[in-house]
Amino acid sequence: MRGLRALGHALAISGSMTWEILWALILGFALSAVVQAVVRRSTIIRRLGDDRPKTLALAAGFGAASSSCSYAAVALARSLFRQGASFTAAMAFEVASTNLVVELGVILALLIGWQFTLAEFIGGPIMIVLLALLFRLFLRQRLLDAARAQAGKGLAGSMEGHAAMDMTIHSTGSLWHRLRTRQAFTSVSHIFVMEWAAVIRDIVLGLLIAGAVAAWVPDGFWGHLFLTGHPLASELTGPLIGPVVSLLSFVCSIGNVPLAAVLWNAGISFGGVVAFIFADLIIVPVLVIYRKYYGTKMMLFILGAFYATMAAAGYLTELIFGGLGLVPAGRHAKVLQASVQWNYTTILNIVFLILAAALCCRFARTGGIPMLKMMGGAPEPPGAAGGHAHHGMSGMGTGNRAGRGAPPGHGDGDEAADR
């Protein structure tokens, strides 16, 4: 009975957190889908051929407008690198696409506090700058050439099909005109559902782990680990410990935000939380993919460079926010305090669930179901510069016009829906 009560307690915490952030997740993914629908993949590839500051800024911007799924981001970064993007720009894109996306910021603000959202959007560019400096100083051409040769083999990692799909709006005209078309609604619905499908495993796993940790791990353990009785020591060790905890948690993307909230309540430093969230790109499954993509030596180089820059970004963010007096004084993340009640959260959940249902219906009516089966997929063929978008969506029109292979939402889907 004690075991059942403990399990029930953990599941209750996980369920409460889920209800607390549900509307924000839907809103974040919907906004992200709108942005991705208007940013053409070919534009990204064409502008990332070097590692100049302007190029890295563009890579970060394109990344922030791209997928929030760590696996898809890693696959897409490899795709960009194979098609001519500089390795530094590809990594900057990867960092931004998992750490500078709108849905991450919304969930951070809701679960932990707006200060953490601001810290993430300040710490992310800091990490990218530090990463570019490390690459400039220590990345040797021989290692880079070996990584490019390995990347050229096209070994499959995870979410390859999702990364290869280009669901942007292909009609012409002004941005507002394109967003008002049926094609835009279809494209947004496809991106919305595919993004959810890509990260749902990590979100569920993260919520379950966060609930279990909050319910089962005694406060004394975290107090000793984070040195909560020694404020200076806690600030010094937090950004070093945070990435290690993330690496071993096997949770990436938005899924590690609930656990970050638990760690903040447990006493980890402000900079430690920032470094922990960044570290979704060095969890063990992602390291295995790096080894496939770029070889063992480059995987180890990425691990070392990412860990160093994540920790450094955590330290610098803590210094900046501490100096400005923006580090929260209390530790009241909505983990144990969350509960299901009839309030604005419930109303917002109902409204955004209706929106999600509308997008899911559009997705299903315009040939989206077969596309879900291609999410794992395979990387684009070597030398398919700019063409990999259609590789990921070939045959997707079968739900509307069998045999024509038109991407859903780019003509056929709308006609099928209208009929």
Side-chain angles (χ1 to χ4, degrees), residues 225-241 269 315:
L225 181 63
F226 299 140
L227 304 175
T228 54
H230 308 277
L232 179 58
S234 178
E235 291 179 6
L236 291 175
T237 57
L240 299 176
I241 296 174
S269 68
Y315 283 126

PDB file of all heavy atoms in Angstrom, residues 225-241 269 315:
ATOM      1  N   LEU A 225      23.911  17.590  -2.536  1.00  0.00           N
ATOM      2  CA  LEU A 225      24.426  17.651  -3.900  1.00  0.00           C
ATOM      3  C   LEU A 225      24.655  19.082  -4.355  1.00  0.00           C
ATOM      4  O   LEU A 225      25.682  19.397  -4.981  1.00  0.00           O
ATOM      5  CB  LEU A 225      23.444  16.958  -4.858  1.00  0.00           C
ATOM      6  CG  LEU A 225      23.850  16.925  -6.343  1.00  0.00           C
ATOM      7  CD1 LEU A 225      25.140  16.133  -6.532  1.00  0.00           C
ATOM      8  CD2 LEU A 225      22.726  16.338  -7.191  1.00  0.00           C
ATOM      9  N   PHE A 226      23.712  19.970  -4.043  1.00  0.00           N
ATOM     10  CA  PHE A 226      23.800  21.350  -4.507  1.00  0.00           C
ATOM     11  C   PHE A 226      24.457  22.293  -3.500  1.00  0.00           C
ATOM     12  O   PHE A 226      24.526  23.502  -3.753  1.00  0.00           O
ATOM     13  CB  PHE A 226      22.397  21.875  -4.852  1.00  0.00           C
ATOM     14  CG  PHE A 226      21.714  21.099  -5.945  1.00  0.00           C
ATOM     15  CD1 PHE A 226      20.360  20.818  -5.869  1.00  0.00           C
ATOM     16  CD2 PHE A 226      22.423  20.650  -7.043  1.00  0.00           C
ATOM     17  CE1 PHE A 226      19.710  20.107  -6.871  1.00  0.00           C
ATOM     18  CE2 PHE A 226      21.794  19.938  -8.056  1.00  0.00           C
ATOM     19  CZ  PHE A 226      20.442  19.656  -7.970  1.00  0.00           C
ATOM     20  N   LEU A 227      24.908  21.740  -2.377  1.00  0.00           N
ATOM     21  CA  LEU A 227      25.601  22.547  -1.348  1.00  0.00           C
ATOM     22  C   LEU A 227      24.762  23.751  -0.941  1.00  0.00           C
ATOM     23  O   LEU A 227      25.257  24.879  -0.865  1.00  0.00           O
ATOM     24  CB  LEU A 227      26.979  22.998  -1.869  1.00  0.00           C
ATOM     25  CG  LEU A 227      27.920  21.878  -2.333  1.00  0.00           C
ATOM     26  CD1 LEU A 227      29.193  22.475  -2.933  1.00  0.00           C
ATOM     27  CD2 LEU A 227      28.249  20.949  -1.182  1.00  0.00           C
ATOM     28  N   THR A 228      23.496  23.499  -0.636  1.00  0.00           N
ATOM     29  CA  THR A 228      22.587  24.605  -0.354  1.00  0.00           C
ATOM     30  C   THR A 228      22.944  25.369   0.913  1.00  0.00           C
ATOM     31  O   THR A 228      22.520  26.517   1.078  1.00  0.00           O
ATOM     32  CB  THR A 228      21.138  24.073  -0.224  1.00  0.00           C
ATOM     33  OG1 THR A 228      21.106  23.026   0.753  1.00  0.00           O
ATOM     34  CG2 THR A 228      20.647  23.535  -1.552  1.00  0.00           C
ATOM     35  N   GLY A 229      23.713  24.757   1.797  1.00  0.00           N
ATOM     36  CA  GLY A 229      24.121  25.468   3.010  1.00  0.00           C
ATOM     37  C   GLY A 229      25.288  26.405   2.806  1.00  0.00           C
ATOM     38  O   GLY A 229      25.675  27.133   3.726  1.00  0.00           O
ATOM     39  N   HIS A 230      25.844  26.417   1.604  1.00  0.00           N
ATOM     40  CA  HIS A 230      27.010  27.266   1.291  1.00  0.00           C
ATOM     41  C   HIS A 230      26.709  28.027  -0.009  1.00  0.00           C
ATOM     42  O   HIS A 230      26.989  27.517  -1.102  1.00  0.00           O
ATOM     43  CB  HIS A 230      28.269  26.421   1.138  1.00  0.00           C
ATOM     44  CG  HIS A 230      28.517  25.502   2.307  1.00  0.00           C
ATOM     45  ND1 HIS A 230      29.143  25.925   3.460  1.00  0.00           N
ATOM     46  CD2 HIS A 230      28.201  24.205   2.498  1.00  0.00           C
ATOM     47  CE1 HIS A 230      29.213  24.912   4.310  1.00  0.00           C
ATOM     48  NE2 HIS A 230      28.655  23.859   3.756  1.00  0.00           N
ATOM     49  N   PRO A 231      26.129  29.197   0.070  1.00  0.00           N
ATOM     50  CA  PRO A 231      25.661  29.919  -1.124  1.00  0.00           C
ATOM     51  C   PRO A 231      26.728  30.094  -2.199  1.00  0.00           C
ATOM     52  O   PRO A 231      26.453  29.878  -3.385  1.00  0.00           O
ATOM     53  CB  PRO A 231      25.213  31.276  -0.558  1.00  0.00           C
ATOM     54  CG  PRO A 231      24.845  30.981   0.859  1.00  0.00           C
ATOM     55  CD  PRO A 231      25.793  29.916   1.312  1.00  0.00           C
ATOM     56  N   LEU A 232      27.943  30.494  -1.826  1.00  0.00           N
ATOM     57  CA  LEU A 232      28.986  30.713  -2.824  1.00  0.00           C
ATOM     58  C   LEU A 232      29.364  29.399  -3.494  1.00  0.00           C
ATOM     59  O   LEU A 232      29.491  29.333  -4.729  1.00  0.00           O
ATOM     60  CB  LEU A 232      30.209  31.349  -2.170  1.00  0.00           C
ATOM     61  CG  LEU A 232      31.402  31.610  -3.119  1.00  0.00           C
ATOM     62  CD1 LEU A 232      30.972  32.521  -4.267  1.00  0.00           C
ATOM     63  CD2 LEU A 232      32.580  32.203  -2.350  1.00  0.00           C
ATOM     64  N   ALA A 233      29.546  28.342  -2.684  1.00  0.00           N
ATOM     65  CA  ALA A 233      29.893  27.036  -3.256  1.00  0.00           C
ATOM     66  C   ALA A 233      28.775  26.536  -4.166  1.00  0.00           C
ATOM     67  O   ALA A 233      29.033  25.914  -5.213  1.00  0.00           O
ATOM     68  CB  ALA A 233      30.166  26.037  -2.130  1.00  0.00           C
ATOM     69  N   SER A 234      27.519  26.806  -3.781  1.00  0.00           N
ATOM     70  CA  SER A 234      26.387  26.392  -4.607  1.00  0.00           C
ATOM     71  C   SER A 234      26.412  27.082  -5.966  1.00  0.00           C
ATOM     72  O   SER A 234      26.176  26.450  -7.003  1.00  0.00           O
ATOM     73  CB  SER A 234      25.077  26.712  -3.882  1.00  0.00           C
ATOM     74  OG  SER A 234      23.958  26.360  -4.670  1.00  0.00           O
ATOM     75  N   GLU A 235      26.715  28.383  -5.989  1.00  0.00           N
ATOM     76  CA  GLU A 235      26.780  29.114  -7.245  1.00  0.00           C
ATOM     77  C   GLU A 235      27.937  28.638  -8.118  1.00  0.00           C
ATOM     78  O   GLU A 235      27.844  28.636  -9.345  1.00  0.00           O
ATOM     79  CB  GLU A 235      26.920  30.610  -6.965  1.00  0.00           C
ATOM     80  CG  GLU A 235      25.663  31.237  -6.361  1.00  0.00           C
ATOM     81  CD  GLU A 235      25.835  32.720  -6.075  1.00  0.00           C
ATOM     82  OE1 GLU A 235      26.897  33.271  -6.461  1.00  0.00           O
ATOM     83  OE2 GLU A 235      24.935  33.324  -5.475  1.00  0.00           O
ATOM     84  N   LEU A 236      29.040  28.232  -7.475  1.00  0.00           N
ATOM     85  CA  LEU A 236      30.203  27.776  -8.229  1.00  0.00           C
ATOM     86  C   LEU A 236      30.007  26.384  -8.822  1.00  0.00           C
ATOM     87  O   LEU A 236      30.499  26.096  -9.919  1.00  0.00           O
ATOM     88  CB  LEU A 236      31.447  27.781  -7.330  1.00  0.00           C
ATOM     89  CG  LEU A 236      31.977  29.157  -6.909  1.00  0.00           C
ATOM     90  CD1 LEU A 236      33.128  29.015  -5.919  1.00  0.00           C
ATOM     91  CD2 LEU A 236      32.410  29.959  -8.130  1.00  0.00           C
ATOM     92  N   THR A 237      29.302  25.519  -8.117  1.00  0.00           N
ATOM     93  CA  THR A 237      29.147  24.142  -8.577  1.00  0.00           C
ATOM     94  C   THR A 237      27.885  23.921  -9.408  1.00  0.00           C
ATOM     95  O   THR A 237      27.829  22.971 -10.193  1.00  0.00           O
ATOM     96  CB  THR A 237      29.114  23.174  -7.378  1.00  0.00           C
ATOM     97  OG1 THR A 237      28.043  23.543  -6.487  1.00  0.00           O
ATOM     98  CG2 THR A 237      30.433  23.218  -6.620  1.00  0.00           C
ATOM     99  N   GLY A 238      26.872  24.787  -9.258  1.00  0.00           N
ATOM    100  CA  GLY A 238      25.600  24.592  -9.959  1.00  0.00           C
ATOM    101  C   GLY A 238      25.735  24.415 -11.460  1.00  0.00           C
ATOM    102  O   GLY A 238      25.237  23.428 -12.022  1.00  0.00           O
ATOM    103  N   PRO A 239      26.416  25.348 -12.177  1.00  0.00           N
ATOM    104  CA  PRO A 239      26.539  25.198 -13.627  1.00  0.00           C
ATOM    105  C   PRO A 239      27.376  23.997 -14.046  1.00  0.00           C
ATOM    106  O   PRO A 239      27.314  23.588 -15.215  1.00  0.00           O
ATOM    107  CB  PRO A 239      27.222  26.511 -14.049  1.00  0.00           C
ATOM    108  CG  PRO A 239      26.852  27.486 -12.984  1.00  0.00           C
ATOM    109  CD  PRO A 239      26.853  26.681 -11.720  1.00  0.00           C
ATOM    110  N   LEU A 240      28.182  23.443 -13.131  1.00  0.00           N
ATOM    111  CA  LEU A 240      28.944  22.238 -13.446  1.00  0.00           C
ATOM    112  C   LEU A 240      28.104  20.984 -13.246  1.00  0.00           C
ATOM    113  O   LEU A 240      28.215  20.018 -14.008  1.00  0.00           O
ATOM    114  CB  LEU A 240      30.200  22.162 -12.566  1.00  0.00           C
ATOM    115  CG  LEU A 240      31.211  23.295 -12.716  1.00  0.00           C
ATOM    116  CD1 LEU A 240      32.348  23.121 -11.720  1.00  0.00           C
ATOM    117  CD2 LEU A 240      31.757  23.350 -14.141  1.00  0.00           C
ATOM    118  N   ILE A 241      27.261  20.996 -12.220  1.00  0.00           N
ATOM    119  CA  ILE A 241      26.431  19.830 -11.913  1.00  0.00           C
ATOM    120  C   ILE A 241      25.223  19.741 -12.832  1.00  0.00           C
ATOM    121  O   ILE A 241      24.822  18.648 -13.257  1.00  0.00           O
ATOM    122  CB  ILE A 241      25.967  19.877 -10.442  1.00  0.00           C
ATOM    123  CG1 ILE A 241      27.169  19.787  -9.498  1.00  0.00           C
ATOM    124  CG2 ILE A 241      24.984  18.754 -10.136  1.00  0.00           C
ATOM    125  CD1 ILE A 241      26.815  19.964  -8.039  1.00  0.00           C
ATOM    126  N   SER A 269      21.517  26.238  -8.134  1.00  0.00           N
ATOM    127  CA  SER A 269      21.681  27.670  -8.371  1.00  0.00           C
ATOM    128  C   SER A 269      20.968  28.108  -9.645  1.00  0.00           C
ATOM    129  O   SER A 269      20.611  27.285 -10.499  1.00  0.00           O
ATOM    130  CB  SER A 269      23.164  28.018  -8.477  1.00  0.00           C
ATOM    131  OG  SER A 269      23.730  27.465  -9.659  1.00  0.00           O
ATOM    132  N   TYR A 315      27.342  30.390 -15.719  1.00  0.00           N
ATOM    133  CA  TYR A 315      28.049  31.318 -14.832  1.00  0.00           C
ATOM    134  C   TYR A 315      27.792  32.775 -15.224  1.00  0.00           C
ATOM    135  O   TYR A 315      27.488  33.618 -14.374  1.00  0.00           O
ATOM    136  CB  TYR A 315      29.551  31.055 -14.896  1.00  0.00           C
ATOM    137  CG  TYR A 315      30.022  29.844 -14.123  1.00  0.00           C
ATOM    138  CD1 TYR A 315      30.769  28.855 -14.739  1.00  0.00           C
ATOM    139  CD2 TYR A 315      29.719  29.697 -12.767  1.00  0.00           C
ATOM    140  CE1 TYR A 315      31.205  27.740 -14.040  1.00  0.00           C
ATOM    141  CE2 TYR A 315      30.153  28.593 -12.062  1.00  0.00           C
ATOM    142  CZ  TYR A 315      30.890  27.614 -12.704  1.00  0.00           C
ATOM    143  OH  TYR A 315      31.322  26.513 -12.002  1.00  0.00           O
TER     144      TYR A 315
END
